[in-house]
Short mmCIF file of all heavy atoms in Angstrom, two decimals:
data_model
loop_
_atom_site.label_atom_id
_atom_site.label_comp_id
_atom_site.label_asym_id
_atom_site.label_seq_id
_atom_site.Cartn_x
_atom_site.Cartn_y
_atom_site.Cartn_z
N ASN V 250 0.82 -1.26 -0.02
CA ASN V 250 0.06 0.00 0.00
C ASN V 250 0.84 1.28 0.00
O ASN V 250 1.24 1.81 1.04
CB ASN V 250 -0.92 0.00 1.22
CG ASN V 250 -1.98 -1.06 1.10
OD1 ASN V 250 -2.50 -1.32 0.03
ND2 ASN V 250 -2.32 -1.72 2.21
N ASN V 251 1.24 1.75 -1.15
CA ASN V 251 2.14 2.81 -1.27
C ASN V 251 1.46 4.13 -1.46
O ASN V 251 2.12 5.15 -1.53
CB ASN V 251 3.08 2.60 -2.45
CG ASN V 251 4.06 1.46 -2.21
OD1 ASN V 251 4.26 1.09 -1.04
ND2 ASN V 251 4.58 0.89 -3.25
N TYR V 252 0.17 4.17 -1.51
CA TYR V 252 -0.56 5.41 -1.87
C TYR V 252 -1.51 5.71 -0.62
O TYR V 252 -2.11 4.76 -0.10
CB TYR V 252 -1.39 5.24 -3.16
CG TYR V 252 -0.53 5.04 -4.33
CD1 TYR V 252 -0.12 3.75 -4.65
CD2 TYR V 252 0.02 6.12 -5.06
CE1 TYR V 252 0.73 3.55 -5.76
CE2 TYR V 252 0.92 5.91 -6.08
CZ TYR V 252 1.24 4.62 -6.47
OH TYR V 252 2.10 4.47 -7.52
N ALA V 253 -1.57 7.02 -0.39
CA ALA V 253 -2.38 7.44 0.82
C ALA V 253 -3.17 8.66 0.46
O ALA V 253 -2.70 9.47 -0.29
CB ALA V 253 -1.47 7.68 2.04
N SER V 254 -4.36 8.76 1.09
CA SER V 254 -5.16 9.93 0.98
C SER V 254 -6.05 10.05 2.20
O SER V 254 -6.48 9.04 2.78
CB SER V 254 -5.99 9.88 -0.24
OG SER V 254 -6.78 11.05 -0.44
N VAL V 255 -6.23 11.26 2.71
CA VAL V 255 -7.18 11.45 3.82
C VAL V 255 -8.55 11.78 3.39
O VAL V 255 -8.76 12.63 2.54
CB VAL V 255 -6.59 12.66 4.65
CG1 VAL V 255 -7.55 12.89 5.83
CG2 VAL V 255 -5.19 12.36 5.27
N ASN V 256 -9.52 11.09 3.91
CA ASN V 256 -10.91 11.33 3.75
C ASN V 256 -11.21 12.59 4.69
O ASN V 256 -11.53 12.34 5.80
CB ASN V 256 -11.79 10.16 4.09
CG ASN V 256 -13.29 10.51 3.92
OD1 ASN V 256 -13.64 11.63 3.51
ND2 ASN V 256 -14.10 9.59 4.23
N GLN V 257 -11.04 13.75 4.07
CA GLN V 257 -11.01 14.95 4.89
C GLN V 257 -12.38 15.30 5.57
O GLN V 257 -12.41 15.99 6.58
CB GLN V 257 -10.52 16.17 4.08
CG GLN V 257 -9.06 15.90 3.67
CD GLN V 257 -8.48 17.01 2.79
OE1 GLN V 257 -9.12 17.44 1.88
NE2 GLN V 257 -7.23 17.31 3.04
N ASP V 258 -13.45 14.75 5.11
CA ASP V 258 -14.77 14.94 5.77
C ASP V 258 -14.77 14.32 7.16
O ASP V 258 -15.50 14.81 8.06
CB ASP V 258 -15.86 14.29 5.01
CG ASP V 258 -16.14 15.02 3.71
OD1 ASP V 258 -15.72 16.22 3.60
OD2 ASP V 258 -16.72 14.43 2.72
N ASP V 259 -13.95 13.34 7.42
CA ASP V 259 -13.90 12.60 8.70
C ASP V 259 -12.73 13.00 9.56
O ASP V 259 -12.65 12.48 10.71
CB ASP V 259 -13.89 11.10 8.45
CG ASP V 259 -15.21 10.66 7.87
OD1 ASP V 259 -16.27 11.29 8.03
OD2 ASP V 259 -15.23 9.54 7.22
N CYS V 260 -11.87 13.85 9.12
CA CYS V 260 -10.76 14.31 9.92
C CYS V 260 -11.22 15.19 11.07
O CYS V 260 -11.91 16.13 10.79
CB CYS V 260 -9.66 15.02 9.07
SG CYS V 260 -8.34 15.70 10.02
N ILE V 261 -10.78 14.86 12.31
CA ILE V 261 -11.20 15.67 13.47
C ILE V 261 -9.99 16.54 13.97
O ILE V 261 -9.94 16.97 15.09
CB ILE V 261 -11.75 14.84 14.61
CG1 ILE V 261 -10.67 13.77 15.06
CG2 ILE V 261 -13.06 14.12 14.15
CD1 ILE V 261 -11.06 13.08 16.36
N SER V 262 -8.94 16.63 13.13
CA SER V 262 -7.77 17.50 13.41
C SER V 262 -7.02 17.14 14.63
O SER V 262 -6.46 18.00 15.35
CB SER V 262 -8.30 19.00 13.64
OG SER V 262 -9.12 19.42 12.52
N CYS V 263 -6.87 15.83 14.89
CA CYS V 263 -6.20 15.44 16.13
C CYS V 263 -4.67 15.51 15.99
O CYS V 263 -3.97 15.61 16.95
CB CYS V 263 -6.59 13.95 16.50
SG CYS V 263 -5.77 12.80 15.49
N GLY V 264 -4.22 15.43 14.76
CA GLY V 264 -2.77 15.63 14.51
C GLY V 264 -1.90 14.34 14.68
O GLY V 264 -0.71 14.47 14.55
N ALA V 265 -2.54 13.26 14.98
CA ALA V 265 -1.74 12.00 15.20
C ALA V 265 -0.99 11.63 13.92
O ALA V 265 0.11 11.10 14.02
CB ALA V 265 -2.66 10.93 15.62
N CYS V 266 -1.58 11.83 12.78
CA CYS V 266 -0.95 11.42 11.53
C CYS V 266 0.38 12.24 11.33
O CYS V 266 1.45 11.73 10.93
CB CYS V 266 -1.85 11.63 10.33
SG CYS V 266 -2.57 13.27 10.16
N ASN V 267 0.34 13.54 11.57
CA ASN V 267 1.45 14.40 11.45
C ASN V 267 2.55 14.08 12.44
O ASN V 267 3.71 14.15 12.12
CB ASN V 267 1.03 15.86 11.58
CG ASN V 267 2.24 16.77 11.53
OD1 ASN V 267 2.58 17.46 12.48
ND2 ASN V 267 2.86 16.93 10.33
N SER V 268 2.15 13.71 13.69
CA SER V 268 3.14 13.24 14.66
C SER V 268 3.80 12.05 14.24
O SER V 268 5.03 11.84 14.39
CB SER V 268 2.44 13.09 16.03
OG SER V 268 1.87 14.23 16.51
N ALA V 269 3.10 11.04 13.68
CA ALA V 269 3.68 9.74 13.33
C ALA V 269 4.48 9.88 12.03
O ALA V 269 5.54 9.23 11.89
CB ALA V 269 2.59 8.69 13.18
N ALA V 270 3.98 10.68 11.14
CA ALA V 270 4.59 10.73 9.75
C ALA V 270 4.63 12.17 9.23
O ALA V 270 3.83 12.48 8.25
CB ALA V 270 3.85 9.81 8.78
N PRO V 271 5.50 13.00 9.78
CA PRO V 271 5.51 14.40 9.37
C PRO V 271 5.88 14.64 7.90
O PRO V 271 5.56 15.65 7.37
CB PRO V 271 6.48 15.02 10.32
CG PRO V 271 7.36 13.90 10.86
CD PRO V 271 6.48 12.72 10.87
N ASP V 272 6.58 13.70 7.35
CA ASP V 272 6.92 13.82 5.85
C ASP V 272 5.77 13.56 4.95
O ASP V 272 5.88 13.80 3.77
CB ASP V 272 8.10 12.95 5.50
CG ASP V 272 9.41 13.40 6.27
OD1 ASP V 272 9.48 14.62 6.54
OD2 ASP V 272 10.19 12.54 6.55
N ILE V 273 4.76 12.88 5.55
CA ILE V 273 3.69 12.41 4.66
C ILE V 273 2.31 13.25 4.90
O ILE V 273 1.66 13.61 3.98
CB ILE V 273 3.32 10.97 4.95
CG1 ILE V 273 4.60 10.08 4.69
CG2 ILE V 273 2.19 10.50 4.03
CD1 ILE V 273 4.44 8.64 5.05
N PHE V 274 2.08 13.61 6.23
CA PHE V 274 0.82 14.30 6.54
C PHE V 274 1.11 15.60 7.23
O PHE V 274 2.02 15.75 8.03
CB PHE V 274 0.02 13.41 7.49
CG PHE V 274 -0.36 12.06 6.99
CD1 PHE V 274 0.39 11.00 7.34
CD2 PHE V 274 -1.45 11.92 6.14
CE1 PHE V 274 0.00 9.71 6.81
CE2 PHE V 274 -1.80 10.75 5.67
CZ PHE V 274 -1.06 9.65 5.92
N ASP V 275 0.31 16.56 6.88
CA ASP V 275 0.27 17.88 7.66
C ASP V 275 -1.09 18.44 7.64
O ASP V 275 -1.94 18.00 6.86
CB ASP V 275 1.29 18.87 6.92
CG ASP V 275 1.74 19.96 7.93
OD1 ASP V 275 1.34 19.93 9.10
OD2 ASP V 275 2.46 20.86 7.46
N LEU V 276 -1.26 19.33 8.58
CA LEU V 276 -2.61 19.89 8.74
C LEU V 276 -2.65 21.21 8.04
O LEU V 276 -1.65 22.02 8.11
CB LEU V 276 -2.93 20.14 10.25
CG LEU V 276 -3.50 18.91 10.96
CD1 LEU V 276 -2.59 17.62 10.88
CD2 LEU V 276 -3.75 19.24 12.43
N ASP V 277 -3.71 21.56 7.34
CA ASP V 277 -3.82 22.90 6.66
C ASP V 277 -4.27 23.94 7.63
O ASP V 277 -4.41 23.72 8.83
CB ASP V 277 -4.74 22.79 5.42
CG ASP V 277 -6.22 22.53 5.80
OD1 ASP V 277 -6.53 22.72 6.98
OD2 ASP V 277 -6.96 22.10 4.88
N ASN V 278 -4.51 25.15 7.11
CA ASN V 278 -4.84 26.26 7.98
C ASN V 278 -6.14 26.00 8.75
O ASN V 278 -6.36 26.65 9.80
CB ASN V 278 -4.94 27.57 7.15
CG ASN V 278 -3.63 28.03 6.64
OD1 ASN V 278 -2.57 27.62 7.24
ND2 ASN V 278 -3.63 28.78 5.55
N SER V 279 -6.99 25.20 8.28
CA SER V 279 -8.23 24.84 8.97
C SER V 279 -8.04 23.66 9.94
O SER V 279 -8.99 23.27 10.56
CB SER V 279 -9.34 24.54 7.95
OG SER V 279 -9.29 25.39 6.84
N GLY V 280 -6.91 23.13 9.97
CA GLY V 280 -6.59 22.05 10.87
C GLY V 280 -6.98 20.68 10.27
O GLY V 280 -7.05 19.70 10.97
N ILE V 281 -7.26 20.65 8.97
CA ILE V 281 -7.62 19.38 8.38
C ILE V 281 -6.34 18.79 7.75
O ILE V 281 -5.60 19.42 7.06
CB ILE V 281 -8.67 19.64 7.29
CG1 ILE V 281 -9.93 20.28 7.88
CG2 ILE V 281 -9.02 18.33 6.59
CD1 ILE V 281 -10.63 19.49 8.91
N ALA V 282 -6.20 17.53 7.98
CA ALA V 282 -4.95 16.78 7.51
C ALA V 282 -5.14 16.45 6.03
O ALA V 282 -6.18 16.21 5.50
CB ALA V 282 -4.77 15.55 8.34
N GLY V 283 -3.94 16.36 5.44
CA GLY V 283 -3.82 15.97 4.07
C GLY V 283 -2.42 15.38 3.76
O GLY V 283 -1.57 15.58 4.61
N VAL V 284 -2.31 14.63 2.67
CA VAL V 284 -1.02 14.13 2.25
C VAL V 284 -0.24 15.23 1.56
O VAL V 284 -0.67 15.78 0.56
CB VAL V 284 -1.17 12.93 1.33
CG1 VAL V 284 0.15 12.50 0.79
CG2 VAL V 284 -1.90 11.78 2.06
N ILE V 285 0.91 15.58 2.18
CA ILE V 285 1.71 16.66 1.61
C ILE V 285 2.98 16.15 0.92
O ILE V 285 3.79 16.87 0.44
CB ILE V 285 2.05 17.69 2.70
CG1 ILE V 285 2.62 16.97 4.02
CG2 ILE V 285 0.85 18.51 3.12
CD1 ILE V 285 4.11 16.91 4.04
N TYR V 286 3.13 14.82 0.96
CA TYR V 286 4.37 14.16 0.49
C TYR V 286 4.58 14.55 -0.99
O TYR V 286 3.77 14.37 -1.87
CB TYR V 286 4.16 12.62 0.62
CG TYR V 286 5.34 11.84 0.17
CD1 TYR V 286 6.51 11.81 0.94
CD2 TYR V 286 5.29 11.10 -0.98
CE1 TYR V 286 7.59 11.00 0.53
CE2 TYR V 286 6.39 10.30 -1.47
CZ TYR V 286 7.57 10.31 -0.60
OH TYR V 286 8.61 9.60 -1.07
N GLU V 287 5.74 15.09 -1.25
CA GLU V 287 6.19 15.45 -2.61
C GLU V 287 5.07 16.09 -3.40
O GLU V 287 4.91 15.85 -4.63
CB GLU V 287 6.71 14.23 -3.31
CG GLU V 287 7.97 13.73 -2.70
CD GLU V 287 8.68 12.64 -3.48
OE1 GLU V 287 8.10 12.05 -4.48
OE2 GLU V 287 9.91 12.37 -3.22
N GLY V 288 4.41 17.06 -2.80
CA GLY V 288 3.35 17.85 -3.56
C GLY V 288 2.22 17.11 -3.92
O GLY V 288 1.41 17.50 -4.83
N ASP V 289 1.89 16.01 -3.21
CA ASP V 289 0.71 15.19 -3.58
C ASP V 289 -0.56 15.93 -3.44
O ASP V 289 -1.56 15.65 -4.12
CB ASP V 289 0.71 13.90 -2.70
CG ASP V 289 -0.37 12.97 -3.17
OD1 ASP V 289 -0.23 12.32 -4.20
OD2 ASP V 289 -1.46 12.89 -2.48
N SER V 290 -0.65 16.86 -2.51
CA SER V 290 -1.90 17.65 -2.25
C SER V 290 -3.07 16.78 -1.91
O SER V 290 -4.23 17.06 -2.38
CB SER V 290 -2.17 18.58 -3.41
OG SER V 290 -1.16 19.47 -3.62
N ASN V 291 -2.87 15.64 -1.24
CA ASN V 291 -3.90 14.76 -0.79
C ASN V 291 -4.63 14.06 -1.98
O ASN V 291 -5.70 13.59 -1.86
CB ASN V 291 -4.96 15.46 0.11
CG ASN V 291 -5.66 14.42 0.98
OD1 ASN V 291 -5.05 13.51 1.59
ND2 ASN V 291 -6.98 14.50 1.01
N ARG V 292 -3.98 14.06 -3.18
CA ARG V 292 -4.57 13.35 -4.30
C ARG V 292 -4.42 11.88 -4.23
O ARG V 292 -5.18 11.12 -4.79
CB ARG V 292 -4.10 13.90 -5.59
CG ARG V 292 -4.44 15.37 -5.90
CD ARG V 292 -3.64 15.91 -7.13
NE ARG V 292 -2.19 15.89 -6.82
CZ ARG V 292 -1.27 15.90 -7.68
NH1 ARG V 292 -1.59 15.89 -8.95
NH2 ARG V 292 0.01 15.99 -7.36
N GLY V 293 -3.39 11.42 -3.50
CA GLY V 293 -3.16 9.99 -3.39
C GLY V 293 -2.59 9.36 -4.63
O GLY V 293 -2.83 8.20 -4.91
N VAL V 294 -1.82 10.15 -5.32
CA VAL V 294 -1.28 9.72 -6.61
C VAL V 294 0.31 9.56 -6.62
O VAL V 294 0.88 9.13 -7.58
CB VAL V 294 -1.67 10.61 -7.83
CG1 VAL V 294 -3.22 10.61 -7.94
CG2 VAL V 294 -1.15 12.05 -7.64
N THR V 295 0.88 9.91 -5.43
CA THR V 295 2.35 9.84 -5.30
C THR V 295 2.77 8.64 -4.51
O THR V 295 2.38 8.55 -3.35
CB THR V 295 2.83 11.11 -4.64
OG1 THR V 295 2.26 12.34 -5.31
CG2 THR V 295 4.34 11.24 -4.73
N ALA V 296 3.54 7.80 -5.11
CA ALA V 296 3.94 6.57 -4.38
C ALA V 296 4.88 6.96 -3.24
O ALA V 296 5.86 7.75 -3.42
CB ALA V 296 4.69 5.60 -5.38
N ILE V 297 4.58 6.49 -2.09
CA ILE V 297 5.35 6.81 -0.86
C ILE V 297 6.53 5.87 -0.74
O ILE V 297 6.38 4.63 -0.86
CB ILE V 297 4.41 6.86 0.33
CG1 ILE V 297 3.48 8.03 0.19
CG2 ILE V 297 5.27 6.99 1.59
CD1 ILE V 297 2.30 7.98 1.15
N ALA V 298 7.69 6.43 -0.50
CA ALA V 298 8.93 5.65 -0.51
C ALA V 298 8.91 4.49 0.55
O ALA V 298 8.26 4.58 1.59
CB ALA V 298 10.12 6.56 -0.19
N ALA V 299 9.68 3.46 0.26
CA ALA V 299 9.68 2.30 1.06
C ALA V 299 10.14 2.59 2.49
O ALA V 299 9.64 2.06 3.49
CB ALA V 299 10.67 1.26 0.46
N ASP V 300 11.09 3.51 2.64
CA ASP V 300 11.62 3.81 3.97
C ASP V 300 10.61 4.64 4.85
O ASP V 300 10.95 4.91 5.97
CB ASP V 300 12.99 4.44 3.89
CG ASP V 300 12.95 5.81 3.24
OD1 ASP V 300 11.90 6.22 2.67
OD2 ASP V 300 13.96 6.54 3.23
N LEU V 301 9.52 5.04 4.23
CA LEU V 301 8.48 5.77 5.04
C LEU V 301 7.27 4.89 5.31
O LEU V 301 6.32 5.33 5.99
CB LEU V 301 8.07 6.99 4.25
CG LEU V 301 9.08 8.12 4.21
CD1 LEU V 301 8.57 9.26 3.36
CD2 LEU V 301 9.47 8.66 5.61
N GLN V 302 7.33 3.61 4.91
CA GLN V 302 6.17 2.72 5.04
C GLN V 302 5.80 2.51 6.53
O GLN V 302 4.64 2.44 6.83
CB GLN V 302 6.43 1.37 4.36
CG GLN V 302 6.34 1.46 2.83
CD GLN V 302 5.00 1.91 2.31
OE1 GLN V 302 3.99 1.45 2.78
NE2 GLN V 302 4.96 2.84 1.35
N GLU V 303 6.89 2.41 7.37
CA GLU V 303 6.61 2.12 8.76
C GLU V 303 5.84 3.25 9.39
O GLU V 303 4.81 3.04 10.16
CB GLU V 303 7.91 1.92 9.40
CG GLU V 303 7.77 1.18 10.77
CD GLU V 303 9.06 0.60 11.27
OE1 GLU V 303 9.94 0.20 10.48
OE2 GLU V 303 9.20 0.64 12.50
N GLU V 304 6.25 4.46 9.15
CA GLU V 304 5.52 5.56 9.73
C GLU V 304 4.18 5.87 9.08
O GLU V 304 3.24 6.25 9.72
CB GLU V 304 6.35 6.88 9.83
CG GLU V 304 7.02 7.36 8.55
CD GLU V 304 7.99 8.52 8.85
OE1 GLU V 304 9.15 8.26 9.20
OE2 GLU V 304 7.49 9.67 8.72
N LEU V 305 4.09 5.49 7.85
CA LEU V 305 2.73 5.58 7.18
C LEU V 305 1.78 4.68 7.85
O LEU V 305 0.68 5.02 8.20
CB LEU V 305 2.92 5.20 5.68
CG LEU V 305 1.62 5.13 4.92
CD1 LEU V 305 0.84 6.40 4.93
CD2 LEU V 305 1.86 4.64 3.44
N GLN V 306 2.25 3.44 8.12
CA GLN V 306 1.39 2.43 8.82
C GLN V 306 0.96 2.91 10.19
O GLN V 306 -0.12 2.73 10.70
CB GLN V 306 2.06 1.07 8.84
CG GLN V 306 1.16 -0.03 9.34
CD GLN V 306 0.00 -0.30 8.43
OE1 GLN V 306 0.13 -0.36 7.27
NE2 GLN V 306 -1.22 -0.49 9.02
N GLU V 307 2.01 3.55 10.89
CA GLU V 307 1.74 4.03 12.22
C GLU V 307 0.68 5.13 12.24
O GLU V 307 -0.24 5.17 13.01
CB GLU V 307 3.02 4.54 12.86
CG GLU V 307 2.98 4.75 14.31
CD GLU V 307 4.26 5.32 14.97
OE1 GLU V 307 5.36 5.00 14.31
OE2 GLU V 307 4.23 6.02 15.95
N ALA V 308 0.76 6.03 11.25
CA ALA V 308 -0.28 7.05 11.13
C ALA V 308 -1.63 6.44 10.88
O ALA V 308 -2.61 6.87 11.51
CB ALA V 308 0.15 8.07 10.07
N TYR V 309 -1.64 5.54 9.98
CA TYR V 309 -2.90 4.86 9.66
C TYR V 309 -3.53 4.19 10.91
O TYR V 309 -4.70 4.36 11.21
CB TYR V 309 -2.62 3.76 8.58
CG TYR V 309 -3.75 2.92 8.22
CD1 TYR V 309 -4.69 3.31 7.30
CD2 TYR V 309 -3.96 1.67 8.79
CE1 TYR V 309 -5.80 2.52 6.93
CE2 TYR V 309 -5.03 0.88 8.48
CZ TYR V 309 -5.98 1.30 7.59
OH TYR V 309 -6.99 0.50 7.19
N ASP V 310 -2.70 3.56 11.67
CA ASP V 310 -3.16 2.84 12.89
C ASP V 310 -3.59 3.79 13.97
O ASP V 310 -4.49 3.55 14.72
CB ASP V 310 -2.05 1.95 13.44
CG ASP V 310 -1.74 0.77 12.54
OD1 ASP V 310 -2.59 0.37 11.68
OD2 ASP V 310 -0.62 0.15 12.70
N ASN V 311 -2.98 5.02 13.98
CA ASN V 311 -3.20 5.96 15.09
C ASN V 311 -4.38 6.91 14.76
O ASN V 311 -4.84 7.63 15.71
CB ASN V 311 -1.96 6.72 15.37
CG ASN V 311 -0.89 5.98 16.03
OD1 ASN V 311 -1.18 4.76 16.41
ND2 ASN V 311 0.25 6.49 16.14
N CYS V 312 -4.84 6.98 13.61
CA CYS V 312 -5.93 7.93 13.24
C CYS V 312 -7.23 7.46 13.91
O CYS V 312 -7.74 6.34 13.65
CB CYS V 312 -6.20 8.05 11.76
SG CYS V 312 -7.54 9.15 11.35
N PRO V 313 -7.76 8.27 14.82
CA PRO V 313 -8.94 7.84 15.63
C PRO V 313 -10.18 7.71 14.80
O PRO V 313 -11.13 7.06 15.22
CB PRO V 313 -9.08 8.95 16.71
CG PRO V 313 -8.41 10.14 16.07
CD PRO V 313 -7.33 9.66 15.22
N THR V 314 -10.32 8.31 13.67
CA THR V 314 -11.53 8.21 12.87
C THR V 314 -11.36 7.36 11.64
O THR V 314 -12.24 7.28 10.82
CB THR V 314 -12.05 9.61 12.47
OG1 THR V 314 -11.08 10.21 11.59
CG2 THR V 314 -12.31 10.58 13.62
N GLN V 315 -10.14 6.75 11.54
CA GLN V 315 -9.87 5.88 10.39
C GLN V 315 -10.17 6.57 9.04
O GLN V 315 -10.65 5.97 8.15
CB GLN V 315 -10.65 4.60 10.49
CG GLN V 315 -10.00 3.54 11.43
CD GLN V 315 -10.98 2.79 12.28
OE1 GLN V 315 -12.16 2.73 11.94
NE2 GLN V 315 -10.59 2.18 13.34
N CYS V 316 -9.73 7.83 8.93
CA CYS V 316 -10.05 8.52 7.73
C CYS V 316 -8.86 8.54 6.76
O CYS V 316 -8.88 9.11 5.71
CB CYS V 316 -10.53 9.98 7.97
SG CYS V 316 -9.42 11.04 8.83
N ILE V 317 -7.77 7.92 7.18
CA ILE V 317 -6.63 7.74 6.35
C ILE V 317 -6.80 6.51 5.45
O ILE V 317 -7.09 5.39 5.98
CB ILE V 317 -5.29 7.59 7.05
CG1 ILE V 317 -5.02 8.89 7.81
CG2 ILE V 317 -4.16 7.27 6.11
CD1 ILE V 317 -3.73 8.86 8.75
N GLN V 318 -6.81 6.70 4.09
CA GLN V 318 -7.07 5.65 3.21
C GLN V 318 -5.71 5.14 2.60
O GLN V 318 -5.00 6.02 2.14
CB GLN V 318 -8.05 6.03 2.15
CG GLN V 318 -9.28 6.66 2.64
CD GLN V 318 -10.05 7.34 1.52
OE1 GLN V 318 -10.88 6.67 0.89
NE2 GLN V 318 -9.72 8.58 1.28
N LEU V 319 -5.45 3.87 2.58
CA LEU V 319 -4.28 3.42 1.94
C LEU V 319 -4.70 2.50 0.72
O LEU V 319 -5.74 1.90 0.78
CB LEU V 319 -3.42 2.54 2.91
CG LEU V 319 -2.96 3.21 4.16
CD1 LEU V 319 -2.10 2.27 5.01
CD2 LEU V 319 -2.16 4.53 3.83
N ALA V 320 -3.89 2.48 -0.27
CA ALA V 320 -4.18 1.60 -1.43
C ALA V 320 -2.90 1.23 -2.13
O ALA V 320 -1.79 1.89 -2.01
CB ALA V 320 -5.10 2.38 -2.40
N ALA V 321 -2.97 0.15 -2.85
CA ALA V 321 -1.82 -0.35 -3.63
C ALA V 321 -1.59 0.40 -4.94
O ALA V 321 -0.51 0.40 -5.55
CB ALA V 321 -1.96 -1.82 -3.89
N ALA V 322 -2.68 1.03 -5.35
CA ALA V 322 -2.60 1.78 -6.65
C ALA V 322 -3.05 3.25 -6.41
O ALA V 322 -3.69 3.59 -5.46
CB ALA V 322 -3.59 1.12 -7.63
N PRO V 323 -2.69 4.11 -7.28
CA PRO V 323 -3.06 5.54 -7.15
C PRO V 323 -4.59 5.76 -7.04
O PRO V 323 -5.36 5.00 -7.69
CB PRO V 323 -2.47 6.21 -8.42
CG PRO V 323 -1.45 5.27 -8.93
CD PRO V 323 -1.83 3.90 -8.54
N PHE V 324 -4.95 6.75 -6.32
CA PHE V 324 -6.41 6.92 -6.07
C PHE V 324 -7.07 7.51 -7.33
O PHE V 324 -8.28 7.33 -7.51
CB PHE V 324 -6.61 7.83 -4.89
CG PHE V 324 -6.50 7.12 -3.60
CD1 PHE V 324 -5.34 6.95 -2.96
CD2 PHE V 324 -7.65 6.56 -3.02
CE1 PHE V 324 -5.23 6.24 -1.77
CE2 PHE V 324 -7.58 5.83 -1.76
CZ PHE V 324 -6.38 5.70 -1.21
N ALA V 325 -6.35 8.23 -8.16
CA ALA V 325 -7.01 8.80 -9.37
C ALA V 325 -5.95 8.92 -10.43
O ALA V 325 -4.73 9.05 -10.17
CB ALA V 325 -7.60 10.15 -9.11
FE1 F3S W 29 -7.15 13.85 10.97
FE2 F3S W 29 -6.82 11.39 11.44
FE3 F3S W 29 -4.73 12.90 11.01
S1 F3S W 29 -8.30 12.70 12.41
S2 F3S W 29 -5.34 14.91 11.79
S3 F3S W 29 -6.34 12.35 9.64
S4 F3S W 29 -4.81 11.26 12.47
#
């Protein structure tokens, strides 16, 4: 699962994803998280590097609303 995107409707701005994986997730000015990795802009189309998989999984596991989506193929 190398692709990630946040279902932003369900994000409650807890920040756990950014704590676990600051290179992949950040919160915008409204406090809503998105994938910022290599300019992905939460589109879920940028393959995340192998050495970040562990923190990606940690972010996924720690999100309280399970709004981080992972996939083996690009989202769009
Ligand atoms: Fe939002 Fe989940 Fe991150 S609630 S701030 S996407 S850990």
Side-chain angles (χ1 to χ4, degrees):
N250 291 321
N251 292 337
Y252 298 89
S254 181
V255 176
N256 178 2
Q257 295 179 316
D258 289 342
D259 291 338
C260 175
I261 58 167
S262 308
C263 78
C266 54
N267 176 250
S268 296
D272 293 329
I273 304 173
F274 300 98
D275 201 2
L276 277 56
D277 67 15
N278 292 337
S279 318
I281 301 300
V284 175
I285 49 93
Y286 181 72
E287 291 191 348
D289 185 74
S290 300
N291 203 47
R292 291 169 298 157
V294 299
T295 310
I297 294 167
D300 64 350
L301 291 176
Q302 287 298 316
E303 200 167 323
E304 51 188 87
L305 174 60
Q306 187 64 43
E307 193 181 332
Y309 176 84
D310 291 341
N311 289 351
C312 178
T314 63
Q315 280 143 17
C316 62
I317 296 174
Q318 310 168 89
L319 301 181
F324 281 86

